[in-house]
């Protein structure tokens, strides 16, 4: 790949606007659900699902349910989306407030990441 093309791809990556928000994994069989903050929902679903499928997710409760019931028994969704302007800005604080709001609204929810 030539240098110009590589530079262009890096710039496009920096300017992309991934969906940020609160993600959920819900076990249909038990009704248990897990919430997590995500700065890129698509990447977070991919990462978590890979860890769960390989038996290496740090949340043991979520891992046990995934192992017992299987991937097809889980509903993955984006619970809340954070609207933002500049992808270069840090939205950690806003995401944490949104996450706290979701936990308050869904008191039975557990955290994806401990």
């Amino acid at each position: 790949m030539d240098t110009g093309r590589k530079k262009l791809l890096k710039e496009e990556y920096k300017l992309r606007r991934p969906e940020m928000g609160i993600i959920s994994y819900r076990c249909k069989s038990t009704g248990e659900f897990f919430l997590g903050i995500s700065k890129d929902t698509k990447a977070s679903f991919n990462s978590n699902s890979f860890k769960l499928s390989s038996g290496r997710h740090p949340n043991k409760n979520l891992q046990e349910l995934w192992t017992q019931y299987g991937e097809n028994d889980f509903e993955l969704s984006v619970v809340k989306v954070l609207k933002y302007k500049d992808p270069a800005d840090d939205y950690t604080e806003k995401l944490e407030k949104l996450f706290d709001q979701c936990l308050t609204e869904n008191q039975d929810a557990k955290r994806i990441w401990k």
Side-chain angles (χ1 to χ4, degrees):
M1 180 181 308
D2 68 39
T3 311
R5 174 82 174 131
K6 194 173 185 178
K7 186 175 181 179
L8 177 65
L9 290 174
K10 281 183 182 180
E11 285 303 313
E12 285 176 1
Y13 180 80
K14 288 178 185 177
L15 296 175
R16 71 186 182 93
R17 295 179 49 86
E19 181 178 64
M20 292 187 199
I22 308 305
I23 62 170
S24 170
Y25 276 71
R26 188 180 74 81
C27 180
K28 295 175 194 173
S29 293
T30 66
E32 292 177 76
F33 64 103
F34 302 81
L35 299 176
I37 293 172
S38 176
K39 291 185 179 180
D40 184 338
T41 58
K42 184 177 178 182
S44 292
F45 283 130
N46 286 340
S47 174
N48 279 297
S49 296
F50 176 78
K51 289 174 187 174
L52 288 163
S53 294
S54 62
R56 296 180 178 187
H57 198 279
N59 186 317
K60 298 303 177 199
N61 187 11
L62 177 57
Q63 182 65 64
E64 288 171 3
L65 292 170
W66 187 276
T67 302
Q68 181 175 357
Y69 296 105
E71 180 178 357
N72 291 334
D73 196 59
F74 277 81
E75 181 179 86
L76 284 58
S77 62
V78 178
V79 178
K80 298 251 184 189
V81 174
L82 178 71
K83 299 195 185 301
Y84 65 96
K85 293 183 181 187
D86 186 354
D89 288 348
D90 183 12
Y91 294 96
T92 303
E93 190 174 310
K94 288 183 179 186
L95 284 166
E96 287 173 354
K97 286 180 183 178
L98 194 61
F99 183 64
D100 289 341
Q101 177 187 350
C102 288
L103 285 176
T104 300
E105 292 170 1
N106 304 285
Q107 294 187 358
D108 293 335
K110 299 172 187 164
R111 296 170 185 265
I112 291 176
W113 304 283
K114 302 273 180 181

